[in-house]
Amino acid sequence: MARYIFVTGGVVSSLGKGLTAAALGALLQARGYSVRLRKLDPYLNVDPGTMSPFEHGEVFVTDDGAETDLDLGHYERFTGVAARRTDSVSSGRIYSDVLERERRGDYLGRTIQVIPHVTDAIKDFLRIGEDEVDFMLCEIGGTVGDIEGLPFFEAIRQFDNERPRGECVFMHLTLLPYVKAAGELKTKPTQHSVKELRSIGIQPDILVCRSEYEIPEKEREKIARFCNVRPDAVIAALDLASIYEAPLKMHEEGLDHAVLEAFGITGAPAPKLDAWQDIVDRIHNPDGEVRIAVVGKYTQLEDAYKSLAEALTHGGIANRVRVRAEWIDSSIFEKENPAPHLDGFNGILVPGGFGERGAEGKIRAATWARERGIPYFGICLGMQMAVVEAARNCVGLTGAGSEEWNEDRAERGEDPVSEPLVYFMPGWVQGNATVSGDRDNKGATMRLGAFEASLREGSLVADAYGTTTISERHRHRFEVDISYREQLEKTGLTFSGLSPDGRLPEIVERHGHPWFVGVQFHPELKSKPLEPHPLFVGFVKAAKDQSRLV
Ligand code: GLN
């Protein structure tokens, strides 16, 4: 049966709870334990798929097709454990399940209350898969004291009380603000936060204190005394130059040691951290730098493309170069020459996206890369735009476009796309395809989660993956129409990856170009620092080769 580590936060949000939990997961793995990480989010949205990426960051998709919070991406990147639908839950989901059961009559007409009905539902969720791992790390979103979060805190308190002693550990993250005038780190907000936690019956075992400076011994003792934790369970979390330093730094601070001690585990093997040391060394001592233009739509908020930014970093780690990604809004060169915006980049990446806005700019970016032999990586929408580009400029189908644009065109009183190379395929719906309430596709059917693809022997992608059967995660509504294959292949755009039934184009690549690849799926979701995704490794390598040419 798993031991549970509950991770909560106080004082302010954005302290890096997810990252700390993920780093702790990696440290426990490095000591030979198995882990699973889980996120409980207090918001009332039923799932994060419907939330704006501006507000909430990217939607992370799991193999089993769940649209989840971006923290699950951190968990996967640090531990390599593939997240599942049952690793993420929101208050909205819990309430909606409870209410559905009530409507079905499962509660036999009894009064439905937060305690015990909602808290029981939360505890049932926590127990899923408890026999599979040594440690289950559960992060509670938000900060202690948030109204929506209360049922979660109450549930974890009950959970601890109902299990044999010593099976749950509470870890609380806080902030130690530095007050310049006093020249001191202040412990009072931490004390208040712990007081709040204790008032709902939870005594933290470990405090992780975010701070800009080392915590002086005197302050550490003060925190320990006032918060009723052991001094060596007060862990400093200083700002890091790279998030991938977190496992090493947290280990130096004694986090994994404190956690094992809190469980009363003695004699655990020392962690093997060579792989993390190598990564940090590669990050800090690169052989050079490549510049990648990420031509997208949600460019104001990097969190909207969190996994993508990380996957580029991983590609850099594998090639020992620093990847400088610059985010460019494609709508700025919809009608004009993109040269002033794209000149000087060693690679162009067009990421996933929705809607028509900026599409023409993305097509121009693909033309730019194709004509100049600049490495091009098109992801999901980026593949669709590369196909439209080739159809228009290589095949001569000037009306080539995506059916996705038709709604906007109708609103503007314009004709629909005459040559819909990218189209909605009704009727094929199968496997993990589910109805999503996605903001841009409003209840449309999306292809979500992992699907297999077969790669053409000898293709660039088959060489990169080292296999001809792959599984990758999808999140899109439209598909490239396979009936245009022959025309496009004649111009050098090869369909090198197809769904196993041969009906859906999954990958295109350009023959005779140094590196031009479009994929219908999201490879960034599966890239990890310890296991960089082969396509990001290949793309960054091509960009590195390109940078040596100029
Ligand atoms: N908007 C496109 C579609 O729905 C691409 C989606 C994406 O890039 N994730 O097919």
Side-chain angles (χ1 to χ4, degrees), residues 351-355 379-382 384 402 404 422-423 441 446 474-479 520 522:
F354 290 86
I379 293 179
C380 207
L381 185 66
Q384 297 172 354
S402 167
E404 187 172 15
V422 179
Y423 76 131
N441 283 305
M446 293 243 262
H474 292 247
R475 181 173 186 259
H476 57 103
R477 181 183 181 204
F478 298 90
E479 307 284 349
Q520 189 56 78
H522 287 277

Side-chain angles (χ1 to χ4, degrees), residues 168-478:
C168 298
V169 156
F170 294 93
M171 178 165 119
H172 189 58
L173 260 86
T174 69
L175 175 74
L176 297 182
Y178 180 76
V179 176
K180 236 207 224 138
E184 274 177 6
L185 287 174
K186 290 293 179 190
T187 66
K188 193 69 93 188
T190 297
Q191 295 178 39
H192 277 293
S193 174
V194 171
K195 195 168 159 195
E196 179 84 36
L197 202 56
R198 288 165 72 182
S199 75
I200 47 183
I202 296 173
Q203 164 64 50
D205 301 287
I206 291 156
L207 286 177
V208 176
C209 305
R210 275 298 294 271
S211 154
E212 280 177 66
Y213 301 93
E214 295 286 348
I215 310 176
E217 208 40 51
K218 201 173 91 245
E219 259 67 43
R220 196 183 290 266
E221 274 164 22
K222 188 166 163 191
I223 295 169
R225 190 175 317 118
F226 282 99
C227 300
N228 198 30
V229 297
R230 282 153 201 272
D232 57 4
V234 178
I235 309 290
L238 305 188
D239 296 343
L240 302 173
S242 155
I243 56 169
Y244 299 120
E245 291 172 21
L248 297 178
K249 281 280 187 311
M250 291 280 102
H251 175 65
E252 273 168 35
E253 286 292 332
L255 177 64
D256 46 332
H257 179 80
V259 167
L260 294 173
E261 185 143 277
F263 279 117
I265 298 174
T266 49
K272 287 200 189 67
L273 294 169
D274 329 4
W276 287 106
Q277 260 142 6
D278 180 45
I279 284 169
V280 171
D281 177 57
R282 283 164 178 266
I283 290 173
H284 291 315
N285 304 298
D287 284 342
E289 179 178 270
V290 297
R291 288 180 66 209
I292 305 291
V294 181
V295 180
K297 181 163 124 184
Y298 304 115
T299 50
Q300 300 94 318
L301 180 69
E302 236 191 76
D303 266 2
Y305 290 123
K306 188 75 199 153
S307 295
L308 184 76
E310 296 307 323
L312 282 168
T313 303
H314 308 159
I317 290 171
N319 287 287
R320 221 180 229 285
V321 286
R322 177 173 298 133
V323 177
R324 215 167 89 205
E326 290 173 41
W327 307 75
I328 301 174
D329 185 343
S330 59
S331 54
I332 57 179
F333 46 78
E334 283 224 280
K335 295 203 174 65
E336 55 182 85
N337 181 0
H341 306 283
L342 298 182
D343 217 3
F345 283 101
N346 310 119
I348 307 279
L349 193 152
V350 177
F354 290 86
E356 187 180 14
R357 193 174 73 78
E360 292 302 321
K362 291 172 191 172
I363 292 169
R364 276 168 193 271
T367 313
W368 170 273
R370 175 176 58 79
E371 290 179 345
R372 284 164 186 75
I374 306 284
Y376 177 90
F377 197 0
I379 293 179
C380 207
L381 185 66
M383 160 174 166
Q384 297 172 354
M385 295 305 102
V387 171
V388 169
E389 194 281 327
R392 283 190 193 171
N393 303 328
C394 304
V395 181
L397 302 170
T398 46
S402 167
E403 275 189 357
E404 187 172 15
W405 306 342
N406 285 345
E407 203 179 313
D408 284 354
R409 292 198 175 187
E411 262 171 39
R412 293 198 302 264
E414 291 171 18
D415 290 338
V417 172
S418 62
E419 209 75 59
L421 265 89
V422 179
Y423 76 131
F424 181 62
M425 242 177 106
W428 70 269
V429 176
Q430 52 177 318
N432 287 332
T434 53
V435 175
S436 155
D438 178 79
R439 66 201 175 277
D440 299 291
N441 283 305
K442 298 160 199 100
T445 308
M446 293 243 262
R447 181 142 77 106
L448 282 170
F451 289 83
E452 273 197 0
S454 311
L455 311 186
R456 183 184 290 182
E457 201 99 42
S459 59
L460 184 151
V461 287
D463 285 352
Y465 279 99
T467 173
T468 53
T469 307
I470 59 163
S471 169
E472 292 281 5
R473 295 181 192 165
H474 292 247
R475 181 173 186 259
H476 57 103
R477 181 183 181 204
F478 298 90

